[in-house]
Amino acid sequence: MSRRKKIYEGKAKILYEGPEPGTLVQYFKDDATAFNNKKKATLEGKGVLNNRISEFIMLNLGRIGVPTHFIRRLNMREQLVREVEIIPLEVICRNVAAGSISQRLGIAEGDPLPRSIVEFCYKNDTLGDPLVAEEHITAFNWASTQEIDDIISLTLRVNDFLSGMFAAVGIRLIDFKLEFGRLYEGDMVRTVLADEISPDSCRLWDIETNEKMDKDRFRRDLGNVTEAYAEVARRLGIMKEAPRAANDEAWK
Ligand code: UDP
């Protein structure tokens, strides 16, 4: 059997041609990067966990009517997704100050924000994904005003859903990043949620202890990164124990 054609390789995932036109296979790697690729490592088992966590979240979002690119999980590292045209924005939603907003605006990390804030960054590694305003997005045709409206309302629905879902298992959703795509169906175009939702793209703190259970453990050298991701999966009822890389087959 010949290997599927690689369409795109990102920092944490690879996209392969799918089995049918209009589909892709999204493969989750164990690679972790931070600070615009300046810090790199391989975290054994991370890809397996993110595949499962993202599957769980996308499926549940689909059930409440949020359109996503997700079709189904194929195996422990791959999922079948719909091919979309990615809108070149990183959409960030924040409930509590942390990371770049704390640095930019001098708000102490952990301070609750007066309301949920949605920010846009232009997806461009060379420029370091700069923060942009809606003015820039429409002026440079990265997305239309209708698409921005759809993106904001979908992001706020995702935020409400995820905040409740995580709160139920003792986790506080501090912030997260989403990506959206254009799904072409005949003459229609729909804005759908794409990429992944995992501890790589969310800040998740234990409600009781404020312990970080997300990629900040890697960014800030706090250790036990995959263990924390496995704990998120365990609390959500997805996986009973952490994956053993040597025994990958067991997770198929
Ligand atoms: N984020 C992400 N990819 C990025 C930038 C940010 O997934 O390229 C996520 C990040 O994990 C956090 C949220 O978006 O959950 C807000 O990130 P922030 O702007 O504070 O940037 P950071 O501190 O991660 O540089």
Side-chain angles (χ1 to χ4, degrees):
M1 203 175 86
S2 64
R3 189 65 199 154
R4 286 185 278 257
K5 192 175 147 209
K6 195 190 282 189
I7 305 281
Y8 174 82
E9 179 153 6
K11 290 171 229 161
K13 294 190 295 297
I14 305 172
L15 288 175
Y16 294 101
E17 202 171 65
E20 291 154 36
T23 65
L24 295 174
V25 172
Q26 184 166 253
Y27 176 98
F28 287 75
K29 300 194 275 185
D30 282 342
D31 296 351
T33 67
F35 311 118
N36 204 12
N37 240 344
K38 288 187 198 82
K39 179 170 178 163
K40 291 184 196 179
T42 302
L43 304 169
E44 224 171 74
K46 177 178 80 82
V48 177
L49 286 158
N50 282 354
N51 185 23
R52 295 293 291 263
I53 295 170
S54 197
E55 170 199 21
F56 179 83
I57 294 175
M58 292 287 183
L59 271 178
N60 282 304
L61 285 171
R63 287 182 184 134
I64 61 154
V66 172
T68 81
H69 73 158
F70 183 83
I71 301 173
R72 65 188 158 86
R73 186 169 60 83
L74 296 172
N75 54 52
M76 53 173 254
R77 286 187 185 272
E78 294 180 325
Q79 44 185 247
L80 185 67
V81 299
R82 276 180 225 292
E83 183 173 25
V84 298
E85 181 182 276
I86 289 288
I87 296 173
L89 298 172
E90 303 220 326
V91 182
I92 292 169
C93 181
R94 304 178 182 275
N95 300 306
V96 175
S100 68
I101 198 172
S102 292
Q103 289 172 2
R104 229 183 311 121
L105 304 182
I107 308 172
E109 200 160 84
D111 276 6
L113 296 167
R115 60 179 170 86
S116 301
I117 294 176
V118 177
E119 293 174 347
F120 297 102
C121 295
Y122 176 47
K123 220 170 122 63
N124 184 313
D125 279 342
T126 321
L127 301 174
D129 299 339
L131 185 70
V132 292
E134 291 186 32
E135 272 294 292
H136 304 104
I137 298 171
T138 49
F140 298 117
N141 264 321
W142 297 325
S144 66
T145 41
Q146 178 62 58
E147 285 173 328
I148 297 173
D149 285 354
D150 291 346
I151 286 172
I152 293 173
S153 71
L154 286 170
T155 300
L156 293 173
R157 282 182 73 195
V158 172
N159 185 40
D160 283 347
F161 178 80
L162 291 185
S163 295
M165 183 191 83
F166 282 121
V169 297
I171 295 174
R172 197 142 67 109
L173 178 62
I174 305 300
D175 58 31
F176 59 94
K177 185 261 308 182
L178 300 178
E179 292 186 28
F180 291 87
R182 297 183 185 104
L183 181 63
Y184 292 91
E185 290 171 320
D187 331 335
M188 303 293 286
V189 193
R190 264 205 304 161
T191 306
V192 305
L193 190 57
D195 193 48
E196 70 176 292
I197 302 180
S198 73
D200 267 5
S201 58
C202 301
R203 282 197 172 91
L204 304 169
W205 295 2
D206 182 274
I207 281 181
E208 301 289 340
T209 64
N210 280 338
E211 198 182 343
K212 298 184 199 314
M213 306 176 73
D214 56 59
K215 197 167 144 185
D216 272 349
R217 299 203 71 83
F218 168 68
R219 293 189 190 97
R220 302 178 191 190
D221 292 321
L222 300 173
N224 294 328
V225 186
T226 37
E227 288 80 357
Y229 286 32
E231 174 62 11
V232 172
R234 193 194 63 76
R235 288 198 197 180
L236 291 173
I238 301 169
M239 280 171 131
K240 302 277 175 286
E241 50 184 310
R244 296 141 296 183
N247 193 11
D248 263 10
E249 289 299 310
W251 296 97
K252 281 205 169 159

